[in-house]
Every structure is written in structure tokens, then in C-alpha cells.
Amino acid sequence: NFFAPHEIDEIWITFPDPQPQVSREKKRLTSPRFLEKYKAILKPGGFINLKTDNDGLHAYTTEKITEAGLNLHIKTEDLYHSAYADEVLSIKTYYEKKYLKDNKNINYLKFSFDWRALTQPSPKDRGGKTGIDACMGLLVLSHNVDEGW
């Protein structure tokens, strides 16, 4: 029980393991399973941001956003050659710097839930270990996520 319902202002998922095997889809940090968890802790009007060098994860997440009827605010397959690379989006992680050095494109998505259909999470949805770090209303998910979540 790390977070109260709708406690987090914004979620950043930066360069997660894309879990490319079909059998590991439920472990992808943008799978429907995780999206439901994010909805339970994200404040209405909050955003989810995904930065990845993995084109497959970017395409998968775009598909899941569409299937779930979520609001897609920004989508780019090449962040640093787009109009979106502002001061915040230009902050680079260790892995991002490494990928850019290898001339890999950086994909970026910014999306949100349709809060008109908001439902409260059940107590069981809030239990257990999450493998998440939070600071001042900002949730950041990165490479290592607890297998038990």
C-alpha cells in the first residue's frame, strides 16, 4: 500500500525492458494490467509518459492506447528530430545517452485516461509490493521492476 487512490500527478516510464517475447506481454510496463494499476494511482488529468528506444514497445503501447480508448497527446518516433524536445523531454537518462551515441531513435508517447469513466480501485488492487519509486507526486518506472507486481 504505497499510494492512495489518485495520489500521483504524472508517471514517467523511461527505457523499460520491452519484454519482447509474446509470453512476457503481461510484464510490459504498458500492458493493460499495468495501465489499470496506473489509473488507480494517477490523479484525474494526470499524464503517463513513455520514452523508449524500442520501436516494438512504442508500437505495442500505441496499439494498447487505441484499444483502451485512452487520450494520446503526443506521439513521435524520433523525439530529438521533432518539435517536442523541450527542456524537460531533453533530460537524458544514462541509457538514452548510450542509445543516442549509437544513432538510435528515441520514441516518446504522452497519454492520459478518459477520466469521465473513472472508477475507484478496489483495496486488493492497492496491495502488495510495487517496485515503484515516487517523489513529490511523480512516479518513475525504470528498468528493474519487482517480478511480484
Side-chain angles (χ1 to χ4, degrees), residues 37-98:
K37 292 178 183 294
Y38 304 153
K39 187 174 185 179
I41 61 172
L42 192 63
K43 287 181 181 177
F47 296 103
I48 299 173
N49 301 273
L50 171 68
K51 283 176 88 174
T52 181
D53 68 306
N54 188 279
D55 296 335
L57 180 62
H58 183 257
Y60 169 85
T61 303
T62 301
E63 180 181 309
K64 296 303 164 191
I65 289 168
T66 301
E67 287 174 4
L70 305 181
N71 301 314
L72 181 58
H73 302 280
I74 298 175
K75 175 187 175 191
T76 181
E77 290 81 18
D78 196 350
L79 177 60
Y80 295 106
H81 292 101
S82 74
Y84 302 115
D86 62 13
E87 185 177 352
V88 172
L89 288 176
S90 293
I91 297 171
K92 296 174 182 74
T93 68
Y94 167 82
Y95 290 100
E96 189 170 3
K97 290 175 188 174
K98 183 179 172 183

Side-chain angles (χ1 to χ4, degrees), residues 7-11 42-43 134-139:
E7 179 180 356
I8 302 299
D9 294 309
E10 189 164 4
I11 297 173
L42 192 63
K43 287 181 181 177
C135 177
M136 297 185 299
L138 176 68
L139 174 67

Side-chain angles (χ1 to χ4, degrees), residues 10-19 27-30 34 38 48-53 57 92-96 99 130-134 138-147 149:
E10 189 164 4
I11 297 173
W12 283 85
I13 306 170
T14 59
F15 301 92
D17 181 336
Q19 305 288 345
K27 294 184 181 284
R28 293 179 192 153
L29 294 180
T30 56
F34 279 94
Y38 304 153
I48 299 173
N49 301 273
L50 171 68
K51 283 176 88 174
T52 181
D53 68 306
L57 180 62
K92 296 174 182 74
T93 68
Y94 167 82
Y95 290 100
E96 189 170 3
Y99 300 140
T130 62
I132 308 174
D133 294 317
L138 176 68
L139 174 67
V140 178
L141 299 177
S142 195
H143 283 288
N144 298 319
V145 174
D146 182 86
E147 290 287 327
W149 197 39

